[in-house]
Amino acid sequence: MGDATTRVGAIDCGTNSIRLLVADVDPATGALTDVLRRMEIVRLGHGVDRTGVIAPESMARTLAVTEEYAAACLELGVADARFVATSASRDARNADEFIEGVRAAFLEHYGREVSPEVVSGDEEAALSFAGATGGLAAGGVGGPYLVVDLGGGSTELVRGTDHVEAARSVDIGCVRMTERHLVSDPPTDEEIAAATRDIDEALDLAESAVPLDGVATLVGLAGSVTTITAHLLRLPAYDADRIHLARSAPADMVVACDDLLAMTRASRAGLPYMHPGRVDVIGAGALVWRRVVERVVERAGITEVITSEHDILDGIALSVARRPL
């Protein structure tokens, strides 16, 4: 690790998963070198849409993994860490209890306090955009980019080339749509139609703030999109290197989405690249992604869809490296 690099920790705690990135960052170039990436499905947001509170078992699961991540930061010599919490922590009435639990976990296992930051939809979008587009221009992929971060509780649409020009967060995500609509196994036509109405209404709202015409490159982020891409590629196992920056024809992406949506949970569970924690929510994720892809094709005439393994987590790491220690 050279003098210019800083070893940082980034934690992204979403509705469905909590992820850790420990990376060496060159602040001058923004180059990231991974030291450790981890992801655990903890379902922090399970039921929040219905009850308004984080369930005790979800809280306990998430804080147990947080302790592991804090210990990893200490063990790997992380100079500074940032914990960003997204949709579930914004929505829940007992968010304060969660925030205090995270703070205590880092104090005990990392030796310094790290407070979770419940970021706004706008900042979430900016972090996702920075993480997702960092390597695109260097790889010859031109803008304007539309970066779509499809989460458990919300989906962010962000447009820009060198920086964010427009962004909107809407309350459609794979967990929220599953809990609200897709309850049968497999989902019924009526359930899919109801979910589609919700999704399209939310995308109308997003498009009022984020114009889609003239978009050159659609970039999809997060577990639903990467898993759909693994399905499209028929991978023998989940392979982040094969998935990252994969270029797919929109029609092939739509077929992969429809395929996953129509499957039973048991069939999905048998797929070699399917994380067990995504089995029951990937259908809703596929439906959201299909509607996004179809809309961007219609508005901008794109001929390929790019999948990125780099997302808000990478953006968080870059933001840590840029702040004074």
Side-chain angles (χ1 to χ4, degrees):
M1 191 167 62
D3 293 341
T5 44
T6 309
R7 181 160 291 184
V8 299
I11 300 95
D12 169 41
C13 183
T15 305
N16 198 43
S17 63
I18 181 169
R19 301 178 302 147
L20 168 69
L21 170 61
V22 175
D24 293 335
V25 185
D26 183 333
T29 63
L32 272 168
T33 305
D34 288 11
V35 177
L36 173 69
R37 278 186 195 257
R38 272 190 63 186
M39 188 273 287
E40 301 291 340
I41 302 277
V42 289
R43 294 289 171 83
L44 181 68
H46 182 69
V48 169
D49 192 48
R50 180 174 44 82
T51 64
V53 296
I54 299 168
E57 60 273 19
S58 301
M59 180 95 72
R61 273 196 305 270
T62 306
L63 292 177
V65 176
T66 299
E67 291 180 359
E68 294 178 20
Y69 287 2
C73 286
L74 178 65
E75 184 185 335
L76 293 171
V78 164
D80 195 11
R82 186 178 184 194
F83 188 115
V84 169
T86 55
S87 183
S89 304
R90 283 200 297 263
D91 300 342
R93 288 197 302 276
N94 57 345
D96 287 352
E97 184 187 338
F98 169 69
I99 289 166
E100 190 45 53
V102 170
R103 196 178 285 141
F106 270 87
L107 196 55
E108 181 178 350
H109 296 279
Y110 177 50
R112 52 192 288 194
E113 204 171 84
V114 175
S115 294
E117 299 169 55
V118 183
V119 299
S120 68
D122 283 349
E123 187 178 359
E124 194 174 331
L127 290 167
S128 292
F129 185 83
T133 61
L136 289 180
V141 180
Y145 308 111
L146 179 71
V147 174
V148 180
D149 189 343
L150 202 172
S154 62
T155 293
E156 283 70 50
L157 290 87
V158 195
R159 178 177 176 144
T161 300
D162 302 320
H163 61 277
V164 173
E165 293 161 11
R168 184 66 192 252
S169 178
V170 285
D171 286 339
I172 48 169
C174 60
V175 174
R176 200 185 292 267
M177 290 296 100
T178 301
E179 291 182 357
R180 195 176 283 177
H181 295 295
L182 304 187
V183 292
S184 302
D185 182 25
T188 65
D189 289 345
E190 292 77 14
E191 289 169 357
I192 291 168
T196 300
R197 283 192 294 274
D198 260 16
I199 293 163
D200 288 350
E201 195 174 296
L203 292 177
D204 287 344
L205 194 64
E207 197 178 351
S208 69
V210 183
L212 303 182
D213 55 302
V215 164
T217 305
L218 172 62
V219 186
L221 316 182
S224 286
V225 178
T226 59
T227 302
I228 295 160
T229 304
H231 185 64
L232 186 159
L233 296 171
R234 295 294 192 270
L235 296 181
Y238 192 92
D239 183 344
D241 290 337
R242 288 278 309 278
I243 292 165
H244 184 52
L245 301 186
R247 299 181 178 205
S248 311
D252 293 342
M253 190 64 81
V254 167
V255 168
C257 289
D258 285 345
D259 199 26
L260 285 166
L261 179 60
M263 281 184 181
T264 63
R265 292 188 181 111
S267 297
R268 292 178 200 150
L271 298 171
Y273 36 77
M274 183 67 64
H275 190 289
R278 293 207 188 281
V279 168
D280 57 343
V281 297
I282 190 65
L287 183 57
V288 173
W289 187 229
R290 188 188 88 194
R291 298 307 287 171
V292 170
V293 170
E294 288 174 334
R295 187 173 288 229
V296 180
V297 168
E298 184 182 319
R299 300 287 195 270
I302 58 161
T303 56
E304 64 178 12
V305 179
I306 293 183
T307 302
S308 178
E309 285 277 353
H310 293 181
D311 53 25
I312 190 171
L313 199 55
D314 302 73
I316 295 166
L318 289 167
S319 75
V320 177
R322 290 182 184 131
R323 66 188 186 185
L325 287 175

